[in-house]
Structures are given as C-alpha cells and as structure tokens.
Amino acid sequence: MKWGRIELEGHAVDVRLEGGEVVGHGGRRFPLAGTKLLPPVIPGNFYAAGLNFRAHVEWANAHSGSSYKVPAQADIGYRSNNALIGSGAEIVIPADSTGPVHYEGELVAVIGKRARDLSEANALDCVAGYTLGNDVSERAWQKSDRTLWRAKNSDTFKPMGPWIADGLDPMNQVIDVRVNGKTVSRYNTGGMIFGVAHYLARMSRYMTLHPGDVVWFGCDGPTVPALQAGDLVEMENSAIGVLANRVVREAPA
Amino acid sequence: MKWGRIELEGHAVDVRLEGGEVVGHGGRRFPLAGTKLLPPVIPGNFYAAGLNFRAHVEWANAHSGSSYKVPAQADIGYRSNNALIGSGAEIVIPADSTGPVHYEGELVAVIGKRARDLSEANALDCVAGYTLGNDVSERAWQKSDRTLWRAKNSDTFKPMGPWIADGLDPMNQVIDVRVNGKTVSRYNTGGMIFGVAHYLARMSRYMTLHPGDVVWFGCDGPTVPALQAGDLVEMENSAIGVLANRVVREAPA
C-alpha cells in the first residue's frame, strides 16, 4: 500500500494511492495528475542518521576538507519540520548562500506504533512504511556554523515523499538520484554502517518512538554536481516512487 | 495572561490560569490543586540556542574538560519533543547513565504568529509569550556521542512550563534555580550573548517561524550540584511561575 498527503482547497488531506488514483477518507477519488503532493507526514520527532555510509564519509573528507570519522556507534541527529516540502515543490537556495548546495538521497522510515526498548529482532515492527528524503545541504554553512541549522534546515531544504510504501526490505533498496534526468548516484541501502533495525533499537532504549516520527538514514557516495537554479533533482525507488524537486534561487533582497 | 495545557480524563486540554483556577474553552473551571500539568505546547519546531551566556561557557570549559568557544554568531540548535514533560512529572535518569546529570534553567520563547524575515526591531511581535525550560544534560554522553541525542533528549530530559506568560521583557527576567529548596543558580536573562530579538530575526532570515514553535535561550553560570535520585529541581520566574520536577533513576533492566 502507498499513502501520503495532498493539498485540496487549501487543506492537507490524508490519501492513499490506488491504481493511479488518489483516494481520500470516505472513498473520495481524485486523478493523480495535477495533484499537489505534501510531505506524506509531518513528524513529531524528526531524526536523521547523518553519516551512515562509509563511501560517503570518505568522499566528504576527500572533497570538502572535512575530517569526519566513520561513526563508532549509532548516534541519531535531528532535522526540523520548517524545511519540509513535498514532491513537486521548489528547493529555494537562499540569496546569500555562497557555498555549493548538494542533494543527499536517503531512505526514510516512518514510525507507525509507539515503541520503547525494542530489540533488533522486533524493531522493524514499529515501522509503518518507508519514503524518500533529500537532505539538501549548503556546504559552506555546514563548515562555518556551529550547528546544522541553515546548512540543512533552511526552508525547503528537506523534500520528502512522494508516498509512504509498506512491505519493503529497508536493507535492500536501490536509490537512484538524478539531476536533469542523468543518474548522478545510485546505491543500495544494504551498505549502511548501522542498519535500520539497529538504529531503531538503540534509539528506543532512551527515547519513545511515536507514530509519525521519521528517521532519515543517510546517503551513500558523492553528492555532486552541486545544484544550480533550474536543475531538476529526482530520487527514485521502485517501491516508493519518484521524489522530484526543481531548484530555484531566492532573489536578492 | 497565563495559559498552558492540563491532562483531563486522559486528554490534553488547553486552559488559561485565572486567579488560582484553571479555565478551559467554554468557561469550564477546575481547581489548580491536583491538576496534572502538561508541557504548555508541543512545538512543530523545537529550537535551542545552547551556549548563549559567557559565564556558562567559561564554567563548562573549566569544569568539564570541554573547549567550547564563545559563539561568534547566533547559530540555533535543536531538541526533540519525545523528551518533553510538564511541571510535576519525573525526570528519569536512564539506568546505564554513568556521567553527572545537570539541570540548565532557561527562558523559552513560544511563537504565536507565522513569521519570516523579521527585523530585530519587530522580532518580538511574533512571540505569544514565554515559559521556562530545564535543559537536562547527561555530561558523559554529551562528550562521548557524536550528537546530543541521549545527552539532551532522553525521554523526560526536557521539562517545560508551568505556564506561558505574556507581557514580559525577555531581556530582563530573573531565573532562580533551586535543588531541594536551595538556590543553586540565579541569573538575569539580560546577560545573553545574543538576545531574543537578534536570534529570532536571524533565524527567520532562513526559516519560517510557526505558531507553537519554541526557542530555548540557554542558561548562565554553573549547573552543579549534579542531580541525584530523589532531588527536587525547580526553576522560578516571577511572571511565569515554578517549573518543578522530581528526579528518579530508572531501575536496571
């Protein structure tokens, strides 16, 4: 099953996807074409693994002067809801951004059940389904600022969607990232340093997981070329669909 | 005016405080005594300034082996909703915590209006009111982990409340912190490195502020003695009230 949210007459409406049609509560049906997709969920807690693929850590250190270590334990980080947009909405590069802006194509787990003290064996039972996230990152601010606030959480920097899909193995998903139709990154989630079940079990030792919480699991490999105004950036997974966003640049004040 | 939330028959209810009574929508009244307070708001975005008082930075460096710099610019950080509790609820130290657990008494701004690109001159207009936060921190995990996840965001580590109060000057508030009735810290918010208006204006240059978002503004001075099971930790401000929480230790698994 696939589900998410659309905007209808100015309101967010929960829907499911059925054979090319969008179906709301009570069976109301709309054609998918022309539908404005919203982020499929607005989380109560917005978690992100950050560095979770060895090749991405090595690439970042080689290409950006950073000195990230391969994490020795699964420490979860945070992103913020203000930055969320759905598939089809524009990524806006702030007018005063000086650094390259990169995509990062990630698998996202959406929590379905309240959970605490999960074991790795049962951790995936609390997941309702999976979606895709683009962890858009302004690399100059990522270096200059004390936190990741505007580097990772400027408005529109967290495209998520298009749909939440269930029934898939999170440790064997191919994520294909395209810029202007050309594949720039393609990897299998099986390369995670810490897998989905390990992260959820460890997090739930200290933190209650709540329905609607999301966990972004990091990206593999390089994240170039840098995004330019006019670019179309897409992430695709065969079970989830295509998360597609056009890039624009904010006009100077 | 003061307002917040209570738990009533298992549900969260928005209320205001009037002359020792709690008043719900429709004028329903309850005695304050015996009322279970909830965090006065569950934010859509949970921001925290972190290091925002010079004496606290110097104290942390002298006493914990850290080497924090006095921040050169107002970079906002994040906390997570899973950790929120109201006044009267228990702070639970995880069974496997090895480090000291410290309180940090902070002023919290609660956003009332959607806002973007604020100037410092008009920034405070978007604030509905102010409350208190206790940024409970496990210092060993704060050093060992890559992020602040369990150091700052273990369940129950973010007491907030008791009420939201309006009509106060955020840059001239005394916050008095007591452990078991004895004052351990007392400071004026006027000592912030970056003031409330400066932070909000700078944040809103990149991020839309939304009604219900909260911004915690950091604490001044030392944060000792470390909290022990059985301790009562209270933060008081004359306009907002007293945020009081008892400390317990989780039983070993």
Side-chain angles (χ1 to χ4, degrees):
Chain A
M1 194 172 94
K2 285 175 159 187
W3 66 99
R5 297 190 316 147
I6 64 169
E7 185 178 302
L8 196 69
E9 294 153 13
H11 297 280
V13 179
D14 294 319
V15 295
R16 61 184 197 277
L17 190 64
E18 273 187 16
E21 277 189 321
V22 168
V23 185
H25 293 306
R28 201 171 162 192
R29 286 173 178 268
F30 316 92
L32 180 57
T35 296
K36 181 179 173 184
L37 297 183
L38 297 173
V41 65
I42 301 295
N45 296 279
F46 188 163
Y47 300 107
L51 307 168
N52 200 26
F53 288 86
R54 189 172 301 264
H56 177 66
V57 175
E58 291 167 355
W59 176 83
N61 289 343
H63 285 77
S64 73
S66 56
S67 53
Y68 297 119
K69 291 175 189 164
V70 173
Q73 59 184 30
D75 295 323
I76 202 71
Y78 300 93
R79 301 288 183 269
S80 207
N81 289 345
N82 71 285
L84 287 170
I85 57 172
S87 186
E90 290 178 340
I91 297 164
V92 181
I93 301 176
D96 61 341
S97 158
T98 58
V101 174
H102 290 178
Y103 56 81
E104 296 188 354
E106 309 193 355
L107 185 70
V108 176
V110 181
I111 304 300
K113 290 181 204 160
R114 188 180 170 96
R116 180 78 202 239
D117 289 323
L118 297 163
S119 68
E120 288 196 37
N122 70 11
L124 298 187
D125 295 348
C126 79
V127 178
Y130 297 87
T131 188
L132 296 172
N134 185 351
D135 193 13
V136 174
S137 305
E138 208 281 7
R139 301 298 189 197
W141 290 336
Q142 197 168 346
K143 276 189 256 187
S144 65
D145 297 355
R146 184 168 58 90
T147 68
L148 296 175
W149 70 294
R150 55 182 178 163
K152 295 266 188 183
N153 298 291
S154 286
D155 281 349
T156 76
F157 271 24
K158 291 290 146 303
M160 183 166 70
W163 304 98
I164 303 166
D166 63 4
L168 54 86
D169 174 2
M171 298 311 293
N172 187 21
Q173 294 301 312
V174 173
I175 296 180
D176 187 53
V177 184
R178 297 186 294 268
V179 176
N180 301 327
K182 183 184 164 195
T183 293
V184 290
S185 170
R186 185 181 167 87
Y187 72 93
N188 191 300
T189 57
M192 287 186 196
I193 297 169
F194 301 107
V196 172
H198 178 80
Y199 249 113
L200 296 180
R202 184 161 152 84
M203 290 166 64
S204 75
R205 171 66 193 84
Y206 304 95
M207 287 135 43
T208 304
L209 300 175
H210 295 268
D213 287 355
V214 298
V215 188
W216 292 36
F217 280 96
C219 76
D220 203 359
T223 62
V224 290
L227 296 172
Q228 309 294 335
D231 283 351
L232 177 68
V233 56
E234 296 171 291
M235 354 227 95
E236 178 161 16
N237 168 267
S238 60
I240 298 165
V242 181
L243 172 63
N245 300 88
R246 183 76 64 179
V247 179
V248 300
R249 190 162 186 115
E250 183 187 34
Chain B
M1 195 171 95
K2 287 177 162 185
W3 66 99
R5 297 190 316 147
I6 65 169
E7 185 178 304
L8 195 68
E9 293 153 14
H11 296 280
V13 178
D14 294 318
V15 295
R16 61 185 197 277
L17 190 64
E18 273 187 16
E21 279 189 320
V22 168
V23 185
H25 292 307
R28 200 171 163 192
R29 286 173 176 269
F30 316 92
L32 179 56
T35 296
K36 180 178 174 185
L37 297 183
L38 297 174
V41 66
I42 302 295
N45 296 278
F46 189 163
Y47 300 108
L51 307 168
N52 200 26
F53 289 85
R54 189 173 301 265
H56 177 66
V57 175
E58 291 167 354
W59 176 83
N61 288 343
H63 285 77
S64 73
S66 56
S67 54
Y68 297 120
K69 290 176 189 165
V70 173
Q73 59 185 29
D75 295 324
I76 202 71
Y78 300 93
R79 301 289 183 269
S80 207
N81 288 345
N82 71 285
L84 287 171
I85 56 172
S87 186
E90 289 177 341
I91 297 165
V92 183
I93 300 176
D96 60 342
S97 158
T98 58
V101 174
H102 289 178
Y103 57 81
E104 296 188 353
E106 309 194 355
L107 185 71
V108 176
V110 181
I111 304 299
K113 289 180 205 165
R114 188 181 169 95
R116 179 80 202 238
D117 288 323
L118 297 163
S119 68
E120 288 197 37
N122 70 11
L124 298 187
D125 296 348
C126 79
V127 178
Y130 297 87
T131 189
L132 297 171
N134 185 353
D135 193 14
V136 174
S137 304
E138 208 281 8
R139 300 301 189 195
W141 290 336
Q142 196 167 347
K143 276 188 257 188
S144 65
D145 297 355
R146 185 169 57 91
T147 67
L148 296 175
W149 69 294
R150 55 182 179 164
K152 297 267 188 182
N153 297 293
S154 286
D155 281 349
T156 77
F157 271 23
K158 292 289 145 303
M160 182 166 71
W163 304 99
I164 303 166
D166 63 3
L168 54 85
D169 174 2
M171 299 310 292
N172 187 21
Q173 294 300 313
V174 172
I175 297 179
D176 188 53
V177 184
R178 297 187 293 269
V179 175
N180 301 327
K182 182 184 163 195
T183 293
V184 291
S185 170
R186 183 181 168 87
Y187 72 94
N188 191 300
T189 58
M192 287 185 196
I193 296 170
F194 301 106
V196 173
H198 178 80
Y199 249 114
L200 297 180
R202 183 162 152 83
M203 290 166 64
S204 75
R205 170 66 191 85
Y206 304 96
M207 285 133 48
T208 303
L209 300 175
H210 295 267
D213 288 354
V214 298
V215 188
W216 292 36
F217 280 97
C219 77
D220 204 359
T223 61
V224 289
L227 296 172
Q228 308 294 337
D231 284 349
L232 176 69
V233 56
E234 296 172 290
M235 352 228 99
E236 178 161 16
N237 168 268
S238 60
I240 297 164
V242 181
L243 172 64
N245 300 87
R246 184 76 64 182
V247 179
V248 300
R249 190 163 185 114
E250 183 187 35

